Amino acid sequence: MYNQGAVEGAANTELGSRVFVYEVVGLRQGEETDQTSYPIRKSGSVFIRVPYNRMNQEMRRITRLGGTIVSIQPVTALQQVNGKASLGNATSEVSELATSGETANSEGNGKATPVNADDSEAKGFAKPPAEEQLKNKDKKGNTMTQAKAKKDHGDVPVNTYRPNAPFIGKVISNEPLVKEGGIGIVQHLKFDISAGDLKYIEGQSIGIIPPGLDKNGKPEKLRLYSIASTRHGDDVDDKTVSLCVRQLEYKHPETGETVYGVCSTHLCFLEPGADVKITGPVGKEMLLPQDTDTNVIMLATGTGIAPMRAYLWRQFKDAERAVNPEYEFKGFSWLIFGVPTTPNLLYKEELEEIQQKYPNNFRLTGAISREQKNPQGGRMYIQDRVAEHADELWQLIKNEKTHTYICGLRGMEEGIDAALTTAAAKEGVTWSDYQKELKKAHRWHVETY
């Protein structure tokens, strides 16, 4: 899959002497910004040369200063001799938030998005309608990092209901997911879709159109949310669809006023029996492979757990297995889940039940940032867990039967890439090149915001 070039091979001879260049934006503008909970205004790009053995330490320092790493590029042996650093293509896109698993600012699962970037909810947590995602992928703004969809999913339902003619579903239940003492409001909503033709599969999303008008006096735009249930629904009767929604809440950077997300607030406080406008489904990037003997690595923060829950239900839930005799999962799934506190471990009981029942097929690893410490004594974020298990993950990723799914804050991508860069480099492999091959093989799936 990967052939290492001669120059890169030379650079890897002495790992400790390797140098990487971090392109960083958003470094803090003053001490007072450390106390804020909203994304600060970005500075221009700053390029920082980082020795191989200080990569993780420098990443944490940049995060503490409010910065975001736009790209991590190795300086090859030849470039080090010449004193130059070629940046090339960024290995990851700009994130509006620092690398963290605990921001209070992401609405829903981060995919809740108005089309207009001026909306208060579109502060780095948003993506435009599905048909615009790939077109806008690398533009500055509120787009979601999303690789191209797998081409052989032509039978997947898409856009059964469009914004100009949404399906009107009804709320069956709206249950809190954050336990006492946790941070924020996160709800599990189940909608009745039995009156329509809305069919979907695991890994897709639906749009929600909130009622009312936006600040420009126009009808509110739809927001997209990852589906948290299997194609058969939580009741396994093909009559429901479920979402995992976090209420967006943050302080306005100029006025200090508390801002609440329009759509997320609407959803989080819906009563059973209420109508809801639904569009979609959309998305083919996050679909599970059809093979049942695959390895599935899942890296999620916060409500990025939504598609992972759908995968795990399909793989392990008894009722699901009973209605899917053609899909009997025999592989291995590993979920690394980042949250701020134990009460924020969404679906905790479900996950622990699966782990207990299928210990050889499912592994659950938590990164609880405000309760656990990383090896350097700082908060334990998901990228720290990936670094801790980087060698094991790297060996698993090399298996052609392994698929990796990342959903949650875009900021975690840099840390994940850094950890796997280190692990791959031990075998003389350049991670950024190898990752490109994984994407071409449709084995690296990302939806971050």
Side-chain angles (χ1 to χ4, degrees):
M1 180 178 291
Y2 170 77
N3 293 315
Q4 183 184 21
V7 173
E8 290 174 355
N12 285 328
T13 302
E14 294 294 331
L15 291 179
S17 66
R18 295 195 68 191
V19 176
F20 292 79
V21 174
Y22 288 6
E23 181 181 359
V24 181
V25 297
L27 291 175
R28 77 172 186 224
Q29 299 163 353
E31 294 293 339
E32 67 276 6
T33 59
D34 290 343
Q35 308 304 319
T36 61
S37 60
Y38 53 82
I40 65 174
R41 294 178 180 177
K42 294 185 176 65
S43 65
S45 290
V46 177
F47 299 95
I48 303 174
R49 293 169 66 89
V50 184
Y52 168 85
N53 59 4
R54 290 181 58 85
M55 289 181 70
N56 289 337
Q57 181 178 346
E58 184 65 14
M59 185 167 297
R60 284 187 288 272
R61 186 185 73 85
I62 290 168
T63 296
R64 288 196 301 271
L65 294 177
T68 297
I69 300 173
V70 179
S71 67
I72 302 174
Q73 294 293 325
V75 181
T76 66
L78 179 61
Q79 290 166 333
Q80 291 186 51
V81 171
N82 294 336
K84 298 179 181 179
S86 175
L87 296 178
N89 295 325
T91 57
S92 57
E93 299 184 24
V94 177
S95 168
E96 287 285 334
L97 299 173
T99 306
S100 167
E102 58 170 293
T103 178
N105 290 355
S106 56
E107 173 165 12
N109 56 15
K111 300 170 69 175
T113 304
V115 175
N116 54 313
D118 292 331
D119 189 290
S120 63
E121 295 175 54
K123 300 294 183 182
F125 329 116
K127 72 175 181 180
E131 59 268 21
E132 298 182 23
Q133 288 174 24
L134 297 180
K135 179 175 66 178
N136 296 335
K137 179 172 178 281
D138 292 322
K139 294 181 181 179
K140 183 178 179 181
N142 303 304
T143 55
M144 170 178 290
T145 305
Q146 188 175 55
K148 293 182 179 179
K150 191 172 181 180
K151 295 180 179 179
D152 62 355
H153 287 298
D155 58 340
V156 175
V158 175
N159 288 323
T160 305
Y161 292 93
R162 296 182 177 273
N164 59 353
F167 170 72
I168 307 300
K170 286 191 178 295
V171 178
I172 296 176
S173 60
N174 188 353
E175 302 293 335
L177 291 175
V178 178
K179 301 294 191 296
E180 184 178 354
I183 298 171
I185 296 174
V186 184
Q187 299 291 117
H188 180 80
L189 294 105
K190 183 167 64 175
F191 304 131
D192 182 353
I193 57 173
S194 60
D197 298 317
L198 183 63
K199 304 298 180 184
Y200 61 91
I201 64 174
E202 302 76 23
Q204 289 194 291
S205 304
I206 56 172
I208 301 294
I209 305 176
L213 304 176
D214 63 19
K215 64 181 180 180
N216 297 315
K218 297 181 179 180
E220 290 284 354
K221 303 294 192 300
L222 69 86
R223 280 75 161 171
L224 292 175
Y225 292 85
S226 291
I227 296 171
S229 53
T230 71
R231 67 192 68 186
H232 301 297
D234 287 352
D235 299 326
V236 198
D237 59 4
D238 300 309
K239 295 180 180 180
T240 69
V241 63
S242 297
L243 299 180
C244 175
V245 179
R246 180 187 182 99
Q247 184 190 28
L248 168 62
E249 177 183 350
Y250 67 98
K251 296 292 184 181
H252 192 282
E254 296 177 358
T255 67
E257 177 187 4
T258 300
V259 179
Y260 297 96
V262 173
C263 193
S264 62
T265 300
H266 167 66
L267 288 172
C268 284
F269 295 95
L270 278 176
E271 296 289 341
D275 290 342
V276 60
K277 294 180 180 179
I278 301 174
T279 68
V282 297
K284 296 184 180 182
E285 161 58 20
M286 295 287 284
L287 306 184
L288 280 174
Q290 296 181 3
D291 296 338
T292 60
D293 61 346
T294 54
N295 302 312
V296 179
I297 298 171
M298 296 167 280
L299 309 175
T301 59
T303 50
I305 191 65
M308 315 308 183
R309 177 184 186 262
Y311 304 155
L312 293 171
W313 269 54
R314 179 162 175 79
Q315 292 169 347
F316 298 112
K317 277 289 185 176
D318 290 342
E320 277 288 330
R321 294 163 73 96
V323 298
N324 294 305
E326 78 288 353
Y327 184 86
E328 184 177 347
F329 185 70
K330 301 176 182 177
F332 173 70
S333 285
W334 186 356
L335 170 63
I336 302 180
F337 189 18
V339 296
T341 70
T342 297
N344 286 89
L345 278 169
L346 311 178
Y347 307 109
K348 180 176 181 289
E349 291 77 12
E350 292 183 12
L351 297 174
E352 291 177 344
E353 179 184 350
I354 294 173
Q355 185 179 44
Q356 182 177 5
K357 191 167 184 177
Y358 297 95
N360 297 324
N361 300 91
F362 176 55
R363 181 173 176 181
L364 174 62
T365 303
I368 307 175
S369 62
R370 300 194 183 186
E371 299 175 7
Q372 299 172 337
K373 299 294 185 181
N374 61 31
Q376 289 72 37
R379 289 183 174 182
M380 175 64 75
Y381 294 122
I382 189 170
Q383 59 267 28
D384 297 307
R385 283 294 186 213
V386 172
E388 179 182 319
H389 300 286
D391 291 340
E392 189 175 0
L393 287 166
W394 167 242
Q395 296 304 318
L396 197 59
I397 288 170
K398 290 193 299 179
N399 187 322
E400 292 186 357
K401 288 184 175 293
T402 299
H403 286 248
T404 301
Y405 297 83
I406 302 175
C407 190
L409 294 175
R410 183 179 297 170
M412 67 175 162
E413 290 184 73
E414 290 91 351
I416 291 169
D417 284 337
L420 293 174
T421 293
T422 301
K426 294 178 182 178
E427 299 182 7
V429 177
T430 300
W431 167 249
S432 58
D433 292 341
Y434 194 90
Q435 185 187 56
K436 291 176 183 177
E437 296 302 316
L438 291 175
K439 291 179 179 179
K440 289 180 182 178
H442 307 292
R443 291 174 45 214
W444 190 262
H445 313 265
V446 179
E447 280 192 349
T448 56
Y449 38 90

